Amino acid sequence: MPDDLIAAADEVRRMAYAPYSGFQVGAAIRAEGGRVHVGCNVENVAYPEGTCAEAGAIAAMVAAGDTRIAEVAVIADAPAPVPPCGGCRQKLAEFAGSEVRVTMATADGQRLTMTVAELLPGRFDAGYMNRATPGAP
Ligand code: THU
């Protein structure tokens, strides 16, 4: 159980900007090499422009120079562990192997761990583009 990663996600959850949903989410990523990167959801009055906690943590990771994910934690004050949305599953899969563990947590102590492959079976990856022609319309 990645308790330190959950603690990091819980700490940044309190920084979430979620005045519209009232639903604060924190995410923490341990990169290969050990550094931890965090993110929270940031909403916008134009609702679709908001960003998820996972997306924020990925952006922080890449900005810090890491591109491989070893482990992920996501936490919210919810009745059950909150799974990453579909878009965030694809975003995580860009930087994580199939067996990377994603632990979903609640503020009251529930935990659920799934792998990236379990969260996103049949993922789109670069192999499907093998016959693509760069520059083609
Ligand atoms: N949200 C996340 O940040 N991560 C998730 O895994 C699920 C949903 C955010 C998006 C939005 O700001 C709020 O939670 C309600 O959907």
Side-chain angles (χ1 to χ4, degrees), residues 2 9 19 31-32 38 40 46 54 57 60 64 66 71 74 76 89 101 104 108 110 113 115 124 132-133 136:
E32 289 180 4
V38 297
C40 56
E54 296 89 331
D66 286 326
E71 196 175 9
V74 183
R89 294 176 194 213
R101 290 154 65 87
M104 298 153 261
D108 65 7
Q110 299 175 62
T113 299
T115 66
F124 176 74
T133 307

Side-chain angles (χ1 to χ4, degrees), residues 84-106:
C85 77
C88 284
R89 294 176 194 213
Q90 184 72 37
K91 289 182 180 76
L92 289 168
E94 180 76 15
F95 302 104
S98 303
E99 299 312 313
V100 164
R101 290 154 65 87
V102 179
T103 295
M104 298 153 261
T106 65

Side-chain angles (χ1 to χ4, degrees), residues 39-60:
C40 56
N41 54 331
V42 180
E43 297 184 347
N44 191 280
V45 65
Y47 292 179
E49 299 303 328
T51 50
C52 288
E54 296 89 331
I58 288 168

